[in-house]
Amino acid sequence: MKNGAIFLFLSFIFALSCKKERQMTDKIVSIDAPRAKKIPQELQIHGDVRIDNYYWLNDRENPEVIDYLNAENVYTKQEMKHTEGLQEALFEEMKGRIKEDDTTVPYKFNGYWYITRYEKGKDYPVYVRKKETLEAPEEILFDCNEMAKDHAYFNLGRIVISPDNKLACFSVDTVSRRQYTIQIKNLETGEIYPDKILNTTGGATWANDNKTLFYTMKDEVTLRSHKIFKHRLDTSSEQDIEVYHEADETFNTFVYKTKSKKYIVIGSGSTLSSEYRFLNADTPDEDFKVFQERTSNLEYSISHYGDSFYIIANCDGATNFKLLKTSEDTTGKSFWEDVIPHRDDVLLEDIEIFKDYLVVNERENGLNNLRIISWDKSEDYYLPFDSETYTVYIGNNPDFDSDVLRYGFNSLTSPSAVIDYNFKTRQSEIKKEQEVLGGKFDKTNYVSERIWATARDGVKVPISLVYRKGIELDGTNPLLQYAYGSYGSTIDPSFSSIRLSLLDRGFIYAIAHIRGGEYLGRNWYENGKLLTKKNTFYDFIDCSKHLINLNYTSSKHLYAYGGSAGGLLMGAIINMNPELYHGVIAAVPFVDVVTTMLDDSIPLTTGEYDEWGNPNQHKYYSYMKSYSPYDNVEAKNYPHMLVTTGLHDSQVQYWEPAKWVAKLRELKKDNNKLLLFIDMDSGHGGASGRFESLKEVALEYAFLLDLEGIHS
């Protein structure tokens, strides 16, 4: 029987198994692990030849590819069948902690209170508003449960209300490739205008005339956001005018309105450079003016207040960024003046502008601080936070004239809280704290701490930990170590009600704040990318060894988890030190680094040369090849592994994990589990719906618990 026929046969079995009325309850047909056929593909550059036996899997239109993916799902289902009861229990347990009939804290903008609410038994949110007071009648803007009912996947992107409150621009993705369709709804009549704008980022902004809409288009092949268009209400989208084209393939573009409502801003950004254009929102038919031309290694962002622009920038050697200002009429860099100077030990992350106050979000020694400064300079102070493992962030503050700052706070042991801080009274009010239902959660039953591991080059790497009080540190505890470590993205120690299902079963949870993120400032990022990328992997491994040496766990009970670029991390560490880990979960993993970065038709590739390097240059090619997980799979023992992906993933294409698993299955010398789960309906973010994604988490947790012999 030929391979194609085998795959069709397995797909048929899988289809039958998905129908409850025809499931086999008395017997389970044992299926061997799928073996993808090998079709050697020669890939050559810089005089170096790589042979990729599984290159053929990158064609999702090929029925044989779909058959193979379905066969992997059948195999995973078979291997995890004995945990189905545990998976169901985990799903119900995690779902049971979440309040189904929940609402967000209302916020006021332009005369209306906006609220998002969830209804019991339904997966999607309902967006509503009330005019002037919270006692006013509710006006339903969008009921996503109705909008999603005919789709396997559904995501409502952004909702942007016109200045006169009469129209709503909204965007929808029903494929999960982050290609949104924009439409406009008349909020007075309820009519949704038939005109559709396809293939957008979902982001848009209104000019002040209530008739002109600016939005961002994507390249249909690479999905790079590359053009800004202008749409008029009284015309078809086919007549929309292109107002900006970002021709540089390493840049992406976007459009927004300043909080002051005075300017429409077009931004362009790459990893190492920024450029902005601005236009008075009252005159949308005029031309945009360049704020400051792009310059290599100059990153900046702009906000507007009064007659000035405020700029966060890394100019003049400000590695951790500083705050500057300039007048509306002289926006070039030579006119910028320092407001908050650069500090070597403080990363300036963001600002929020109000009528009377400036709020600055800073990070020092890994911890966020909120600094309050009055425009008249009479006040300058920090909000107090005492813990070493907390997360604080500026919340939704659309009202420029407000005397209240809304911010969020949580920690590894404390549920998320939405807090309003009054500038005038200096009083804080908790507007809402996340409810953890089920009657079993008590924050005093858990302990969080931060410890520091010494990496092989002598650098101290922080680790945030949480576990149930009373655990003995004797090396027998199961521990799940998580990290990301790329793009300067910081993983803060935040609360998760879902994670309680592991903690309550004896797991310790650790976040390794490795280089490649910005937890300890911009240099922490700079020393974990390009030709120093291996520091990211070494840090994770050295944190693992430190946790073992301190008897938090042992290699028999240590598990690692990472997704996307964190999935690359998982692939690298198991090639370097597979003996340290009993099991690994790699979600939507970026593992075929060299091939992907050489293919500029794949989404994200060209825009990420400054992150990973351009392999068309020999030095970057050689370096990334030396750590690329797919290229470094060897004939040796590997940990138990669960790999997940989505067929429609636009960020990391499904074929990367599929090829990786195929190669691992061919070469590995152990009998450990190697499972691949492909969500055939979703993309990079997983399943849509409020609770549907918990089923994949339940699968992941059941995988870990099963390896620990925990079955309930």
Side-chain angles (χ1 to χ4, degrees), residues 52 57 126 135 169 220 292 299 334 369 485 584 624 678 691:
D52 187 347
L57 287 172
V126 180
E135 288 70 40
C169 166
E220 292 188 2
Q292 161 61 42
E299 298 174 63
S334 61
N369 296 304
V584 170
M624 66 176 63
I678 310 100
F691 301 112

Side-chain angles (χ1 to χ4, degrees), residues 113-127:
W113 289 94
Y114 289 88
I115 305 165
T116 304
R117 59 177 171 81
Y118 293 88
E119 298 176 353
K120 193 168 184 178
K122 296 184 178 181
D123 248 341
Y124 293 92
V126 180
Y127 294 92

Side-chain angles (χ1 to χ4, degrees), residues 173-188:
D173 174 16
T174 58
V175 178
S176 189
R177 278 186 67 80
R178 302 185 183 182
Q179 291 172 284
Y180 289 87
T181 297
I182 287 177
Q183 285 186 271
I184 295 171
K185 180 178 181 179
N186 187 315
L187 298 179
E188 294 184 313

Side-chain angles (χ1 to χ4, degrees), residues 38 83 99 105 155 169 246 396 425 480 498 522 565 572 603 679:
K38 296 165 67 173
T83 71
K99 188 177 182 181
V105 179
N155 182 34
C169 166
E246 178 50 72
N396 187 18
T425 65
L480 180 59
I498 295 170
R522 181 68 176 196
D679 188 326

Side-chain angles (χ1 to χ4, degrees), residues 3 5 71-72 78 162 192 244 264 276 301 305 326 358 360 400 435 463 505 542 552 598 657 668 710:
N3 288 338
E72 286 285 4
Q78 170 191 274
S162 62
I192 295 178
Y244 179 67
I264 304 292
Y276 288 85
S301 60
Y305 172 70
T326 191
L358 170 68
V360 184
F400 178 77
E435 293 185 59
I463 308 170
R505 289 173 172 83
D542 293 340
Y552 281 94
L598 281 169
K668 75 188 190 81
I710 301 172

